[in-house]
Amino acid sequence: MNLFSILGEALRALRQNRLRAGLTMLGMIIGVAAVVLMLSIGQGAQTQINQTIASMGSNLFIVVPGATSAGGFSFGSGSVKTLTINDAYAIAELPSISATAPVTSGTAQLNYAAKNWSTIITGTTPNYFEVGSWKIESGTIFTDSDLRSATRVVVLGSVTAKNLFNDEDPVGKTIRITNRPFLVVGVLMAKGQSLTGRDQDDNVFIPITTSERQITGNQFPGSIRHMLVQGKSAEDMDIAELEITQLLRQRHRISGTKENDFTVRNLTAIADIATGAAKVMSFVLGAIASVSLLVGGIGIMNIMLVSVTERTREIGIRMAIGANQRAILIQFLLEALMICIMGGLIGLVIGIGGAWLVSQMADMLIVITLGMIGLAFLFASAVGIFFGFYPAKKAASLKPVDALRYE
Amino acid sequence: MLPTPAHHSATPLIKIENLCKSYSLQDANGKTITNQVLFNINLTIHQGEFVAIMGHSGSGKSTLMNILGCLDTPTSGAYWLTEKNVATLSSDELARIRNRNIGFVFQGFNLLKRMTALDNVAVPLLYAGISRANSRKQALELLRRTGLENFAMHQPNQLSGGQQQRVAISRALVNQPPLILADEPTGNLDSQTSREIMSLFEQLNRDQGITIVLVTHEDDIAAYAKRLIRLKDGHVIYDKNNAIETTSNQSASVHAIHDHPQSNTD
């Protein structure tokens, strides 16, 4: 008997017991839908983290001052003003470093026409935009000559621009920052949340020199809040960290065993941890969902065993008219497999629909890949073969005479 | 297989030697009880014969039929069917023999439920590896011959007993087997329908030379057969030609001394 004919027989058997086949299928539907949903949520979270990491800029260190202690009393990071603009310039000269960007920041009130908005003012150098992977939406960033002459120019983050200007084009307009007029030279492209959940787009950027002299003021001239340092290559991040530490210890005259008055953080390492956590999460979600698939499989086995017993006489008749063991085995195996594949297909559609719904309602990123669909399908088929095999084997190994005599 | 002997008529279709069958059962105390059903049966049936096997219930006639039909295996003894020693065959080979060489007709018809008469007749062809379309074509041809053309798309529960049995006979014939085994084929039918079914068997035997082995306990049904075998308590107690009572047709003993071209390498 060719496979096509057996397939027809299996379909006929399923049609004869629609309700039972449907209920058994439900187990597979729920299992596959849950797996697809969970995988897509997990994958979405992973993708979101990867995007955030990519938006952070690559091979990035952040150097913050502090971690000093006085008389056994420890101050937190950034509590002292030991890091300076010149430190940043010196680090930029290191062989393993491609660029640095010193940062000062404070909050200030912005005004444009009748609107006002309070946000973070970041004073930095033009390098900042490249190091931090910022892209310009319109206009330009400020230049080195703006930095040298401390001109009143400002680059707006997209959220800030939206709040002050709505749909108006901010480039070329003048806004007031703590009542001083600043020319808007550019608006940045949106970047979204940072790894810590802060909105990176509600921000304005001005030359660090302008900030220090005109906005935040500074009782420690040249000191900065932190600096971004970009290493030349991902492989040499350890060497770069060592070079930064050595140079800063030397510049800050820290000798021997004395503790650093600064901290170097490798952001890539932090990102790796976040990615790892997301991977574990999607694995755990998938594993939990797989349990329902397993339960569905046991349901299939149960029903197939009942079906084999019920149809013992049919099996006997088929054997009497020429079915060999293989034909009977395949017939029952195909029935189980068909329940799984049909259930898998319906579950797939429901899972994708559910994922879409989740993405709409919870504003989460959902990723559905072909690999995931394939995996769910493969898993469903494997369940069908695994749990369908025992009942099918039982049917096939019946003795024809006993099966025929069965009432 | 060794070459077939020159005299075709001398080669029996069925040859049984010293065949015994016993069942082992466990009684309530867990003791094994052996219940012997068939004792040293010797039987030879040639191509083209029409044999009725009679006996009371418990005489072993159904067990003998099951063994003849390769549905059950003997406990000891030999059974050659078309020169193959059935006892040595694998389950796949037995399935193949049941498919190609034997057509079964049962008392309870044993059609597959919720399947049209046409599909029922076509199933043995499917198991023989013939495509669905061709199977149906051949099945329809057979239904036409048994006069059921108009009932091809009916399911068994929409047919009368006689019609169902004719569908079953069509199914038995569809692979053109040399042998038909009928186990009380008229047991569930009224006498008029029984006569129709029996004439159909008679006609198949006469016109197509199909060997028919029939189990029955009704004398008037057995009268259609040319040869009558009686079983009692697992022994053959009578084996004679139906029509000519006087000839010494002791098939069982006569054929037992025939050489058989069987080898164990078969």
Side-chain angles (χ1 to χ4, degrees), chain A residues 139-168:
Chain A
T140 59
I141 55 171
F142 50 77
T143 61
D144 283 332
S145 81
D146 288 326
L147 191 69
R148 276 193 299 276
S149 38
T151 44
R152 288 182 188 160
V153 286
V154 63
V155 175
L156 303 180
S158 62
V159 169
T160 312
K162 180 89 182 142
N163 279 313
L164 280 178
F165 288 90
N166 272 335
D167 298 329
E168 216 177 315

Side-chain angles (χ1 to χ4, degrees), chain A residues 1-2 5 8-9 12 16 313-314 317-325 327 331 399-401 404-405, chain B residues 23 66 71-72 91-92 95 98-99 104 106 110-115 119 123-124 126-127 129 132 171:
Chain A
M1 194 175 210
N2 63 38
S5 303
E9 297 281 306
R12 187 207 309 271
Q16 279 171 12
R313 201 180 173 81
E314 179 197 322
I317 298 169
R318 286 180 180 277
M319 285 177 162
I321 59 179
N324 57 19
Q325 295 191 341
Q331 183 190 340
K399 274 180 72 181
V401 62
L404 260 178
R405 219 184 273 145
Chain B
Y23 294 102
N66 285 336
L71 295 167
D72 207 352
S91 81
D92 272 9
R98 291 195 295 267
N99 185 235
F104 287 94
F106 303 93
N110 274 348
L111 296 174
L112 295 173
K113 281 178 268 178
R114 276 171 272 189
M115 200 186 252
D119 284 334
V123 172
L126 295 177
Y127 284 127
R132 186 159 280 257
R171 181 178 69 183

